[in-house]
Amino acid sequence: MKNLLFFAILISMISLVFSCKKDENSTKLTVLLTDGPIDAQEVNVDIKEVKVNFRDDSTGWKSVQTNANVYDLLKLQNGITTPLAVGTYPTTNTVKEIRFILGTNNTIKVKDVIYPLTIPSGGDSGLKIKVGKQLANSLDSLIVDFDAALSITEESTGNYKLKPVLKLK
């Protein structure tokens, strides 16, 4: 099953490369999502929108065409990624930050019980990660590791909180 998903993603990425007209002044930026291991059956994160910031202030945010969905992070382990967002931007741009806007359907499944994942902050403003990467003249991609093991804490009440730890790979 994992091999099938890997090949589907690989074929999709290759198709993107060959189907796009080459423009020396712009490139297609792809944001991919992956995860590391955690002791749970599912970790579902509701990603509604991805934005990139090309400036050092808050005025450079651009929405990226996002595959809005609830993603089970545990299906994105061991080198498996999924395309999350794609946009075409001038190669003169430097990606300063990425922001994930999350929905409310965030859950964790532990021992066959599904618990809501509450987000103390970030639910309204989104989750940001610093990037600082100049775009290249070819297909460019950024892999964001949403580290579920470091991001989820179980409270003494038995509730779970999502305090996302995002890393750029």
Side-chain angles (χ1 to χ4, degrees):
M1 183 72 163
K2 287 183 182 180
N3 286 339
L4 181 63
L5 181 60
F6 172 76
F7 286 117
I9 292 169
L10 181 63
I11 289 170
S12 296
M13 294 304 293
I14 290 171
S15 297
L16 273 174
V17 170
F18 289 110
S19 67
C20 299
K21 292 181 183 176
K22 177 98 173 174
D23 181 353
E24 297 299 320
N25 297 321
S26 66
T27 189
K28 189 169 291 282
L29 172 65
T30 304
V31 179
L32 302 161
L33 187 65
T34 191
D35 180 41
I38 184 174
D39 188 23
Q41 294 165 291
E42 293 177 7
V43 176
N44 299 302
V45 179
D46 185 6
I47 299 178
K48 295 294 184 192
E49 184 179 13
V50 176
K51 294 182 177 186
V52 294
N53 191 353
F54 296 111
R55 299 178 55 132
D56 288 322
D57 58 31
S58 62
T59 63
W61 288 104
K62 305 280 184 199
S63 290
V64 183
Q65 183 179 350
T66 305
N67 298 321
N69 203 348
V70 176
Y71 292 90
D72 180 357
L73 298 179
L74 301 188
K75 292 182 179 176
L76 302 173
Q77 296 179 339
N78 302 316
I80 296 174
T81 61
T82 190
L84 189 57
V86 178
T88 302
Y89 301 99
T91 55
T92 56
N93 283 336
T94 297
V95 178
K96 303 290 185 172
E97 297 175 287
I98 297 174
R99 177 181 282 167
F100 293 157
I101 307 298
L102 299 185
T104 58
N105 196 12
N106 304 295
T107 61
I108 184 170
K109 184 175 181 182
V110 179
K111 297 179 183 172
D112 295 325
V113 178
I114 297 175
Y115 300 93
L117 280 173
T118 57
I119 306 170
S121 64
D124 297 325
S125 64
L127 313 173
K128 290 191 282 187
I129 182 171
K130 299 283 185 191
V131 178
K133 181 178 178 180
Q134 175 78 37
L135 295 177
N137 282 336
S138 60
L139 181 70
D140 215 335
S141 62
L142 299 171
I143 298 176
V144 178
D145 181 0
F146 199 122
D147 194 326
L150 295 176
S151 299
I152 297 172
T153 58
E154 182 178 5
E155 303 293 303
S156 60
T157 60
N159 295 324
Y160 289 85
K161 289 199 176 185
L162 179 63
K163 298 178 184 176
V165 175
L166 305 172
K167 300 175 190 170
L168 194 61
K169 288 189 154 202

